[in-house]
Amino acid sequence: MSLATDSTSISEVAADASPHIARVAENPIVRAAWGGLGTFSLTMGIVGVFLPGWPTTIFLIIAAACYARSSQRMYDRIINNRTFGPHVRRFRETGAMPLRAKVLALGIMWPFVLFAVFVAIPTTLIWAHALTLILAVAGTIYILRLPTGRRAEA
């Protein structure tokens, strides 16, 4: 770890040392925008806990990234959460997704997508069929392109 010089603040040195030190935006409007996005993502993640098929962890990862630009306290609350914290922390540190999580994500996502396209969405809404399939393919490509990490030891 390098020492802070006149041109480098202590917080910049600390931020380089750990991925879990928030680099809070200096502009209060930008900080509020990041905080708002973080709170929206956190809300969507909480909905995912109770709504089958709705993702949870990815919204919490997005919330953590937003809070890392707006609030150290809120960022710490997410990464120290007993249930989801280890997953969010591991992704923030490595950018990788365990193979089991990839298989589960795709194995749960595609039956819902196919159900939506072939049963739930009316046949007259061709744009909705196309959009659902395009987003599902984009999500699949994103998941498959992520590095595959090892599952954390409990």
Side-chain angles (χ1 to χ4, degrees):
M1 184 169 141
S2 63
L3 297 175
T5 63
D6 292 337
S7 64
T8 307
S9 71
I10 298 292
S11 63
E12 288 173 342
V13 171
D16 290 339
S18 170
H20 302 298
I21 302 296
R23 292 196 227 174
V24 177
E26 292 182 21
N27 183 321
I29 295 170
V30 172
R31 190 169 48 247
W34 281 119
L37 285 171
T39 301
F40 175 77
S41 295
L42 178 61
T43 303
M44 293 295 101
I46 291 169
V47 167
V49 171
F50 302 103
L51 186 63
W54 189 268
T56 298
T57 306
I58 189 62
F59 282 116
L60 296 179
I61 289 169
I62 293 168
C66 292
Y67 287 141
R69 300 293 291 150
S70 66
S71 170
Q72 182 72 51
R73 181 179 61 86
M74 291 301 291
Y75 177 76
D76 289 344
R77 288 190 70 174
I78 289 178
I79 66 165
N80 293 323
N81 179 280
R82 186 179 68 219
T83 305
F84 300 106
H87 304 292
V88 174
R89 193 176 315 111
R90 185 174 50 250
F91 185 82
R92 296 273 301 159
E93 290 170 356
T94 67
M97 187 174 182
L99 180 61
R100 181 174 185 264
K102 286 183 174 187
V103 170
L104 279 172
L106 295 175
I108 291 171
M109 180 178 73
W110 276 101
F112 277 96
V113 167
L114 295 174
F115 175 80
V117 169
F118 292 113
V119 178
I121 300 173
T123 56
T124 56
L125 298 177
I126 294 174
W127 66 268
H129 287 227
L131 182 63
T132 301
L133 288 171
I134 289 168
L135 292 174
V137 169
T140 300
I141 291 169
Y142 175 76
I143 289 170
L144 293 176
R145 290 184 55 133
L146 284 174
T148 302
R150 297 182 62 197
R151 185 172 177 193
E153 290 79 30

